[in-house]
Amino acid sequence: MFELIRQHQMNIMLALCAVCAMMAVLLLLTRFLPEKRKRILILMEIIATLLLAFDRAAYLYRGDVTRTAYVLVRLSNFMVFFLTSAVVWGFNLYLTDLLMEEGGLKTFPKRLKAAQTGALLGMVLAVIAHFTGLYYTFDEQNQYQRGPGFLLCYLVPVFISLIQYTVIREHKKKFRRLIYLSLVLYIFLPIAVGILQIFTYGISIVNMAMVLVSVSLYIFSYLDINDEVIRAHETEVRNLEKEQQSMKKLFEQTATAFVRAIEKKDEYSEGHSVRVAEYAREIAEESGKSKEDSEKAYYAGLLHDVGLIGIPDAVLEKTDVLNDAEYARVRQKPVLSGDILSSITEYPYLSRSVRYSCERYDGTGYPEGLSGQEIPETSRIIAVADAYDTMTSKKRFREPLSYQAVREEFVEQSGLQFDPAFSEIMIQIMDREHEKGENAEDMPVETEYICESYRERVSAGIPIEETVTKICFTSEVLDPDGAFSGPSVILFDSYDRHIHDNAKAIKACRYIEFAEIWPDGHYVSTNARNMEVSVSDEGEGESGGKQAVKYELLAGRFEDHLTLTMRSPSFIVRTVLALPDNSKASYLGITGENCRIRDIRVFETGERLKAGDIKRIVSPVSYTDRLESDLPNIQVDRPRLVSTEAVEVLGERRIDFHTQSLPSSNLIWHCPYVVLFDSPDGSVCEEGYREYALIKLNGECTGDESASQNHFTMKKLDSFPGWDVWKEQQRKGMECSVLLERKGNKVTLRTETLGIAIENTTILSDGKNRVFAALTGDQVALTDIRVR
């Protein structure tokens, strides 16, 4: 490598001189550096240019004995040694400026003062050496020869550079990364090359290195400024984002305050707009919309009801049926909302989104009767969010609707009132929240309340399940002179776990009461299939005269029978009750008359009931007494309670069967399901079970996304009779066929049931896995199952 440098040394030096001079010119033109630092860097680039230019001249004229060459050789060598120390002096100025201006040092570091003195001393020694031959001499042929003090000319700059490095190291944190790197490079590259220079003669690699590091100072300064500009830009962007967030927060707070002021007109509407906004944002996010589009859905949802300000209070507060004129005023709400928001010209989407939020997907909405994709997307999202909150909120004329009732509304109205995609997302959100609720702690039960009149207050339903539950409470007499005082227990089923006594709530919550039992053994059986009650004397006499009586209940269930033991100081009442069928849930509510119920506590005993623990007083209700074919018949009383034997999907398979929803069924999804899965022994929900897809024949599909991807389509054919007829036909019974086909890692399912055409392609994550199919469902009997 040294030989290559030696051969092209003159050209390399010339090129480096040109580069260095160009850097000086660029520095002169640049504006991004402080003026003082720019002057120092220009000085350093000029020194480096002259250093290499004189070094090149020394090489060019050596050995030339003419008078001109004689002068130039001596001048050039003197300038080389003089400028070597000058380079160190210039670097010292640069380092001092960095520490004082950017590093924030108040005083000139003493070591840098010493370094500056040393550099000046080096320049003085260069002058002395020129006249004494300390560093170099010349022979008769005008050739340069090293002098006795040659090493001194290198040791002085090296020693000064090391002093400078100690200062750099001490104040490392004051330098940015690129600047620190350039300073270290400036110190140690010439030193490393200088060591090589001692052992090489005839090439000037040290001076070349010093020129290179001088150029690098400009380059690294430029790169550092670029980084600083980027950092400044990022800071500015962050500040702008903070400002934007502040403005957005201010807008949100202002809008929320405005909406709350409007909602004060109707106590049952308070909080509605904020909830709609949050649901709208969640739906948008679930559908894959960007953060910006999700925020648009939020703000449009927040302001969708501002038009209520233009509707008279008398109309909003009316509880009976609106007349034509009043209904026309209500229908103006989205138009009024759009007109009010049209003045917010910065966000034109607000006016457009709320104006069409009452349109229906099938085109029967208002104000313009738009349909399908003609309705703005945000409007379609708001329609779903608004409907959900309206149905799940308490109104002047009704209690909140149950999860089941709301879910069925979205299933029924998908493609009619609601965009099918957003309706499906809302159903998924509801299902997740419902599942969390079921897995969470039970609905809290009031610990104390007063029942002056009969059944004035009833506790929330306490679930009766296979694990025995213990309930303790105390009943106090309110009026000792009253005709009767005491508690009673109500056994019932309801979607919302509450007692209901009006027709609308009974229908919406599918409320059914089985029986009411008193502590003395009296009871009223309403919808139980059968009921046996036995009373034994506890031996403490009558408790009716006591002011406070403690009671203990033990309740449990197995299949369609439940047991209840009520213990009081006077009696033990043992009850066995047969439910209408196994599909019913069962809850226990505590109420009374002329009494205070207090200190209600609920415990899980850990005792799990099994077959034979409860006396069976009626025969099981079965709807599977039909022809049995390839697989045993099954009756699914509750969601996926049982499944058929599995059928491995190999190539093409067809499963034909007869389905009949149970008489108690009343929801759209009370129908057959097909589950695609894998497990070690081909059993559903056993250890090692992985579910790929669950397809409900009413047109729903779920699956484990970590194990598979499902591409599901459901179409309502012209033959679809409507959901009411569909449910009725399911209860009457009908034949169904499911076609399955596997090709590699894809399993395709096709079926059509009363105009509901379903096709689903399941793509397995691991195509080597087995795939089984099984039938299950909810409140349905599956019989005559044939596999081909």
Side-chain angles (χ1 to χ4, degrees):
M1 184 180 69
F2 291 124
E3 188 59 34
L4 181 65
I5 295 174
R6 194 188 306 276
Q7 291 176 5
H8 301 283
Q9 183 172 213
M10 296 299 102
N11 293 331
I12 294 172
M13 286 182 170
L14 184 61
L16 288 175
C17 284
V19 170
C20 220
M22 188 182 300
M23 293 296 106
V25 173
L26 290 175
L27 279 165
L28 187 64
L29 298 175
T30 194
R31 296 181 180 180
F32 62 75
L33 287 172
E35 191 63 31
K36 183 179 179 182
R37 192 172 310 154
K38 183 169 74 170
R39 289 199 301 268
I40 293 171
L41 284 172
I42 291 173
L43 175 63
M44 292 178 69
E45 298 298 340
I46 291 173
I47 292 173
T49 303
L50 293 175
L51 172 64
L52 207 56
F54 279 114
D55 200 14
R56 184 173 184 274
Y59 277 97
L60 283 173
Y61 289 100
R62 66 179 178 176
D64 188 341
V65 295
T66 63
R67 186 167 182 80
T68 301
Y70 180 88
V71 173
L72 286 175
V73 166
R74 281 155 180 76
L75 176 62
S76 297
N77 278 281
F78 165 72
M79 291 302 295
V80 166
F81 285 97
F82 182 85
L83 292 174
T84 299
S85 295
V87 167
V88 178
W89 172 74
F91 179 72
N92 203 72
L93 293 176
Y94 177 72
L95 181 57
T96 302
D97 181 69
L98 283 175
L99 289 170
M100 300 292 285
E101 297 300 325
E102 291 193 4
L105 294 185
K106 302 299 183 184
T107 58
F108 198 150
K110 293 181 180 180
R111 278 169 289 174
L112 291 186
K113 288 182 179 178
Q116 188 169 342
T117 303
L120 293 172
L121 179 62
M123 288 186 274
V124 171
L125 284 175
V127 174
I128 295 172
H130 181 71
F131 296 102
T132 62
L134 179 63
Y135 291 165
Y136 53 86
T137 59
F138 301 96
D139 58 17
E140 297 82 0
Q141 299 300 318
N142 203 22
Q143 293 280 0
Y144 164 89
Q145 302 293 329
R146 288 178 177 176
F150 172 75
L151 286 178
L152 185 61
C153 73
Y154 285 101
L155 291 176
V156 171
V158 168
F159 182 71
I160 296 171
S161 296
L162 292 176
I163 292 174
Q164 292 170 334
Y165 176 70
T166 63
V167 177
I168 294 169
R169 185 67 183 177
E170 180 182 348
H171 299 286
K172 178 180 179 181
K173 293 184 178 179
K174 297 184 183 298
F175 302 111
R176 292 186 293 273
R177 184 180 61 86
L178 289 174
I179 294 297
Y180 177 77
L181 181 61
S182 68
L183 296 177
V184 172
L185 189 66
Y186 197 96
I187 295 289
F188 288 106
L189 182 61
I191 291 176
V193 175
I195 294 171
L196 294 175
Q197 181 74 77
I198 296 172
F199 305 101
T200 58
Y201 188 77
I203 57 176
S204 190
I205 55 176
V206 171
N207 293 336
M208 293 182 192
M210 294 184 76
V211 169
L212 286 173
V213 293
S214 296
V215 171
S216 73
L217 282 181
Y218 172 79
I219 294 173
F220 278 101
S221 294
Y222 183 79
L223 293 175
D224 178 68
I225 290 296
N226 279 349
D227 286 351
E228 188 66 19
V229 169
I230 292 172
R231 285 192 292 270
H233 175 69
E234 290 174 349
T235 301
E236 184 178 1
V237 168
R238 283 195 297 270
N239 290 335
L240 287 172
E241 287 177 346
K242 286 181 181 178
E243 184 178 349
Q244 188 179 36
Q245 287 298 323
S246 297
M247 293 297 294
K248 188 179 290 185
K249 189 174 182 180
L250 177 62
F251 175 76
E252 181 179 349
Q253 291 172 342
T254 304
T256 302
F258 177 52
V259 166
R260 284 176 178 168
I262 296 172
E263 290 177 344
K264 288 293 182 181
K265 297 178 69 175
D266 180 9
E267 62 177 309
Y268 293 98
S269 295
E270 289 189 29
H272 168 71
S273 295
V274 172
R275 292 192 298 271
V276 169
E278 291 171 348
Y279 294 138
R281 177 163 55 193
E282 187 173 4
I283 293 169
E285 289 173 347
E286 290 276 342
S287 66
K289 303 302 176 191
S290 65
K291 183 178 180 179
E292 181 181 358
D293 287 340
S294 299
E295 288 299 304
K296 287 181 178 180
Y298 175 86
Y299 289 113
L302 183 64
L303 295 166
H304 79 288
D305 265 352
V306 295
L308 288 174
I309 198 171
I311 299 176
D313 293 351
V315 175
L316 295 176
E317 294 173 0
K318 193 171 182 179
T319 56
D320 53 356
V321 179
L322 300 176
N323 60 41
D324 292 344
E326 291 167 338
Y327 186 56
R329 295 296 296 270
V330 171
R331 285 170 63 99
Q332 283 298 306
K333 189 262 294 184
V335 177
L336 292 172
S337 298
D339 290 343
I340 292 170
L341 297 177
S342 63
S343 60
I344 307 178
T345 56
E346 287 295 316
Y347 304 113
Y349 71 89
L350 289 173
S351 175
R352 179 173 170 79
S353 297
V354 303
R355 182 180 296 273
Y356 301 110
S357 61
C358 292
E359 299 286 2
R360 291 173 56 100
Y361 197 75
D362 61 2
T364 60
Y366 58 89
E368 297 182 15
L370 302 181
S371 64
Q373 301 301 312
E374 294 174 344
I375 307 169
E377 189 173 53
T378 306
S379 303
R380 285 179 267 142
I381 292 174
I382 294 172
V384 172
D386 183 30
Y388 176 73
D389 188 71
T390 299
M391 288 188 282
T392 56
S393 299
K394 184 177 181 178
K395 296 298 180 184
R396 183 174 288 102
F397 50 87
R398 63 159 174 80
E399 293 295 315
L401 299 184
S402 65
Y403 156 78
Q404 290 87 348
V406 175
R407 190 183 194 280
E408 182 164 50
E409 183 71 11
F410 278 112
V411 173
E412 283 188 346
Q413 295 300 319
S414 178
L416 299 176
Q417 181 177 351
F418 308 117
D419 183 314
F422 298 133
S423 178
E424 176 62 28
I425 291 170
M426 190 71 251
I427 290 171
Q428 292 172 5
I429 293 171
M430 289 175 58
D431 289 347
R432 284 201 303 269
E433 293 302 314
H434 182 68
E435 186 176 351
K436 287 179 184 177
E438 286 191 334
N439 294 334
E441 294 183 359
D442 290 337
M443 180 186 297
V445 177
E446 305 103 308
T447 59
E448 183 173 342
Y449 47 89
I450 292 174
C451 296
E452 293 183 352
S453 59
Y454 173 58
R455 293 175 68 157
E456 180 181 352
R457 294 282 299 277
V458 185
S459 71
I462 301 168
I464 302 176
E465 298 172 333
E466 289 187 4
T467 300
V468 176
T469 300
K470 180 180 178 180
I471 304 132
C472 300
F473 67 93
T474 299
S475 175
E476 291 182 353
V477 177
L478 287 179
D479 181 6
D481 298 328
F484 175 79
S485 175
S488 65
V489 171
I490 302 172
L491 303 176
F492 68 96
D493 181 18
S494 176
Y495 285 160
D496 66 352
R497 291 172 53 179
H498 284 94
I499 299 291
H500 295 285
D501 57 8
N502 70 75
K504 284 186 177 180
I506 289 172
K507 180 179 180 182
C509 295
R510 308 301 197 269
Y511 174 74
I512 179 171
E513 189 171 311
F514 306 129
E516 184 173 3
I517 308 167
W518 282 264
D520 61 358
H522 287 83
Y523 68 92
V524 174
S525 176
T526 46
N527 288 289
R529 277 202 294 153
N530 196 6
M531 187 173 177
E532 288 186 0
V533 178
S534 63
V535 184
S536 59
D537 192 341
E538 189 72 351
E540 296 187 14
E542 293 292 333
S543 60
K546 294 184 179 180
Q547 292 298 310
V549 180
K550 294 184 178 179
Y551 295 89
E552 179 185 284
L553 310 178
L554 289 173
R557 168 180 177 169
F558 184 78
E559 294 182 349
D560 59 348
H561 278 53
L562 63 81
T563 177
L564 172 66
T565 300
M566 182 185 301
R567 187 185 299 272
S568 70
S570 301
F571 303 102
I572 299 177
V573 180
R574 294 180 175 87
T575 302
V576 175
L577 184 146
L579 300 170
D581 56 55
N582 194 26
S583 68
K584 295 290 183 288
S586 50
Y587 300 100
L588 182 153
I590 302 171
T591 186
E593 181 180 358
N594 188 26
C595 63
R596 180 195 302 272
I597 307 294
R598 63 176 175 83
D599 301 332
I600 299 177
R601 293 171 294 161
V602 181
F603 308 93
E604 292 291 339
T605 64
E607 177 188 356
R608 192 173 183 84
L609 298 179
K610 55 186 183 299
D613 287 342
I614 302 177
K615 175 187 175 183
R616 179 166 283 281
I617 56 177
V618 294
S619 300
V621 179
S622 175
Y623 298 93
T624 59
D625 188 18
R626 288 176 53 88
L627 178 66
E628 190 167 272
S629 297
D630 297 329
L631 298 180
N633 298 340
I634 63 169
Q635 180 172 313
V636 191
D637 293 312
R638 280 174 281 171
R640 302 184 63 179
L641 187 64
V642 294
S643 302
T644 64
E645 295 176 0
V647 176
E648 186 170 3
V649 181
L650 298 170
E652 295 184 3
R653 304 301 295 264
R654 174 171 171 165
I655 303 175
D656 299 316
F657 58 95
H658 182 272
T659 175
Q660 182 178 8
S661 296
L662 305 186
S664 59
S665 66
N666 47 51
L667 297 171
I668 291 172
W669 56 90
H670 288 164
C671 65
Y673 305 165
V674 181
V675 58
L676 301 178
F677 67 97
D678 183 24
S679 67
D681 61 354
S683 299
V684 177
C685 296
E686 296 297 328
E687 186 176 354
Y689 174 82
R690 298 182 72 186
E691 186 165 294
Y692 300 128
L694 175 69
I695 297 100
K696 300 179 182 180
L697 297 198
N698 65 293
E700 298 182 63
C701 177
T702 59
D704 182 356
E705 294 182 359
S706 65
S708 63
Q709 292 181 353
N710 288 289
H711 301 280
F712 180 80
T713 59
M714 184 273 277
K715 294 181 179 179
K716 294 177 183 176
L717 305 180
D718 293 339
S719 58
F720 176 64
W723 287 115
D724 289 338
V725 176
W726 195 90
K727 288 191 290 184
E728 183 60 31
Q729 189 61 46
Q730 288 284 336
R731 281 192 288 269
K732 290 180 179 179
M734 58 183 296
E735 288 294 315
C736 287
S737 293
V738 176
L739 302 177
L740 296 163
E741 181 180 8
R742 178 172 184 178
K743 292 182 178 180
N745 69 333
K746 293 184 180 180
V747 179
T748 302
L749 177 149
R750 298 181 182 89
T751 186
E752 189 263 311
T753 308
L754 285 176
I756 298 297
I758 293 172
E759 180 171 333
N760 181 67
T761 300
T762 301
I763 302 176
L764 310 177
S765 300
D766 185 352
K768 297 180 181 179
N769 289 349
R770 296 180 301 174
V771 178
F772 294 98
L775 300 179
T776 182
D778 187 4
Q779 296 199 34
V780 66
L782 305 177
T783 58
D784 190 18
I785 305 170
R786 292 144 282 157
V787 182
R788 301 176 185 174

